[in-house]
Amino acid sequence: MAVRTIRISGDEVLRKKCLPVGVVDDNIRKLLNDMAETLHSTENGAALAGPQVGILRRLVVIDMGTGIMKLVNPKIIKKEGTQTVIEGCLSIPDVWGKLERPSKVTIEALNENGEKMTLTGTKSLAKCFCHEIDHLDGILFTDLVTEYID
């Protein structure tokens, strides 16, 4: 495993759309492990998406204190409700903003063994799913901010 460099706002890779993963193999598992190690090396990160470490594949790792989730080709299949949230991003240091996100989100993804799974998140996890999947499509939270927080 290796800690990778987190790409910062202004890096063109953050605006690119990621390609789907065709086969979950040892190379993909290594990338996911590198992403998890990179996430765990940060002080306040909850998740990382592929482009944030220069990988233009649909990969996400999330750890909100309950253990690491490794997601391959995640996609939102259902959104419910709305919530006003405050977000920041490891790729946009020291910037925080308010925006609207669904309060409940259901996603489909493959796990690190290539097995299909369906996950539902509410509140913070719903926000996190949306934020990270947006990264896979070249969307940054600052594109959606309604008010910046000092």
Side-chain angles (χ1 to χ4, degrees), residues 33-82:
N33 288 336
D34 286 355
M35 290 172 64
E37 187 169 342
T38 303
L39 175 63
H40 289 144
S41 76
T42 68
E43 288 187 25
N44 65 346
L48 269 178
Q52 290 182 273
V53 291
I55 301 167
L56 289 174
R57 295 287 182 264
R58 297 187 78 78
L59 300 171
V60 169
V61 295
I62 298 172
D63 191 343
M64 298 182 71
T66 57
I68 193 83
M69 283 186 262
K70 297 175 182 176
L71 307 175
V72 179
N73 298 334
K75 65 180 177 182
I76 296 172
I77 59 170
K78 187 174 184 182
K79 298 177 187 180
E80 297 177 56
T82 60

Side-chain angles (χ1 to χ4, degrees), residues 74-136:
K75 65 180 177 182
I76 296 172
I77 59 170
K78 187 174 184 182
K79 298 177 187 180
E80 297 177 56
T82 60
Q83 60 178 332
T84 300
V85 298
I86 296 175
E87 289 187 22
C89 181
L90 292 170
S91 290
I92 309 173
D94 303 319
V95 175
W96 299 90
K98 283 186 186 179
L99 59 145
E100 296 294 314
R101 294 283 193 192
S103 55
K104 184 176 181 181
V105 173
T106 301
I107 68 165
E108 285 182 348
L110 301 177
N111 66 17
E112 65 186 312
N113 297 312
E115 300 161 334
K116 187 176 177 181
M117 58 182 174
T118 302
L119 301 169
T120 299
T122 59
K123 299 182 181 175
S124 292
L125 185 54
K127 170 180 81 169
C128 189
F129 283 157
C130 292
H131 181 109
E132 298 310 319
I133 291 171
D134 278 352
H135 268 301
L136 302 179

